[in-house]
Amino acid sequence: MMKLIGGLLVILATSWLGFTFAGRVRDRPKQLRQLRSYLAILKTEIEYGTRPLAEACASIASQEETAVSRLFQASADQLLKGDGSSTYECFKRAIEQEWQRTALQQAEQTVLLQLCQVLGSSDRQDQAHHLTMACNQLELEENRAREEQDRYEKMYKTMGVLTGVLLVILMI
């Protein structure tokens, strides 16, 4: 009886890990799409709006509660602190603070950090241009993420379950 319960727990644990990895692979394209959408809204705010950057980020974050929107809320919070930090430093701290809660990877972080070097430190046209470039780069990453999802999502789920079954067989 104890072996049966132990075996079931092993299978459940490894299956849970497999489904967790599969969930991150599945969430990445969706979060990239959200990020691109939020950057497009930010571009519109910069080109046509009169709100300060902190208010624009807070407005974007208030649209829905997601891991990506928390990046914008953290950025707005950092900008509103008014501790004398540059816009880049505020965005960098926000990204470092919230990044682990997303399914995004290092490539997207690099794109965002490069974009943040321009935000608030150049004219509207230059910022809009860099936002467009960032959206284009993120679109390429989204396409790669979709290919990765197609290739690996099912594999992670299957490997989680099969690893648990293999461990149980080896323990018997």
Side-chain angles (χ1 to χ4, degrees):
M1 184 65 173
M2 291 300 279
K3 282 185 178 183
L4 180 64
I5 292 172
L8 184 61
L9 288 175
V10 168
I11 292 172
L12 286 174
T14 58
S15 297
W16 176 75
L17 284 173
F19 278 79
T20 300
F21 286 132
R24 287 188 66 82
V25 170
R26 183 187 60 246
D27 290 345
R28 186 170 172 236
K30 184 174 103 175
Q31 289 182 3
L32 279 165
R33 199 169 27 261
Q34 288 173 341
L35 182 58
R36 284 184 35 235
S37 172
Y38 293 158
L39 290 179
I41 294 169
L42 184 60
K43 178 184 175 198
T44 302
E45 276 291 332
I46 288 172
E47 286 181 322
Y48 304 110
T50 57
R51 284 193 266 190
L53 190 56
E55 286 181 29
C57 287
S59 172
I60 290 168
S62 68
Q63 291 182 6
E64 59 184 314
E65 180 64 29
T66 65
V68 178
S69 69
R70 282 188 231 116
L71 281 172
F72 283 89
Q73 185 59 53
S75 299
D77 294 343
Q78 291 290 328
L79 288 167
L80 290 172
K81 273 186 182 177
D83 62 357
S85 298
S86 70
T87 305
Y88 171 73
E89 291 168 344
C90 291
F91 274 98
K92 184 177 179 184
R93 279 192 299 240
I95 289 170
E96 289 171 353
Q97 173 185 336
E98 295 293 328
W99 198 259
Q100 294 302 318
R101 295 183 180 135
T102 68
L104 302 174
Q105 294 182 351
Q106 184 65 37
E108 295 88 29
Q109 186 177 25
T110 303
V111 169
L112 279 181
L113 289 174
Q114 288 173 348
L115 173 65
C116 293
Q117 291 177 342
V118 177
L119 288 179
S121 65
S122 61
D123 65 350
R124 288 178 185 221
Q125 286 180 327
D126 191 42
Q127 290 179 56
H129 173 71
H130 280 86
L131 280 162
T132 301
M133 287 176 39
C135 284
N136 291 340
Q137 288 175 325
L138 291 173
E139 184 178 9
L140 292 173
E141 290 300 324
E142 183 182 345
N143 291 336
R144 285 187 198 126
R146 268 196 230 106
E147 290 172 6
E148 188 177 302
Q149 178 186 5
D150 292 342
R151 193 174 314 136
Y152 296 117
E153 183 181 14
K154 190 173 182 179
M155 182 193 73
Y156 283 136
K157 291 176 183 177
T158 305
M159 288 299 293
V161 174
L162 292 179
T163 301
V165 171
L166 176 65
L167 288 174
V168 169
I169 290 172
L170 291 175
M171 286 193 282
I172 295 178

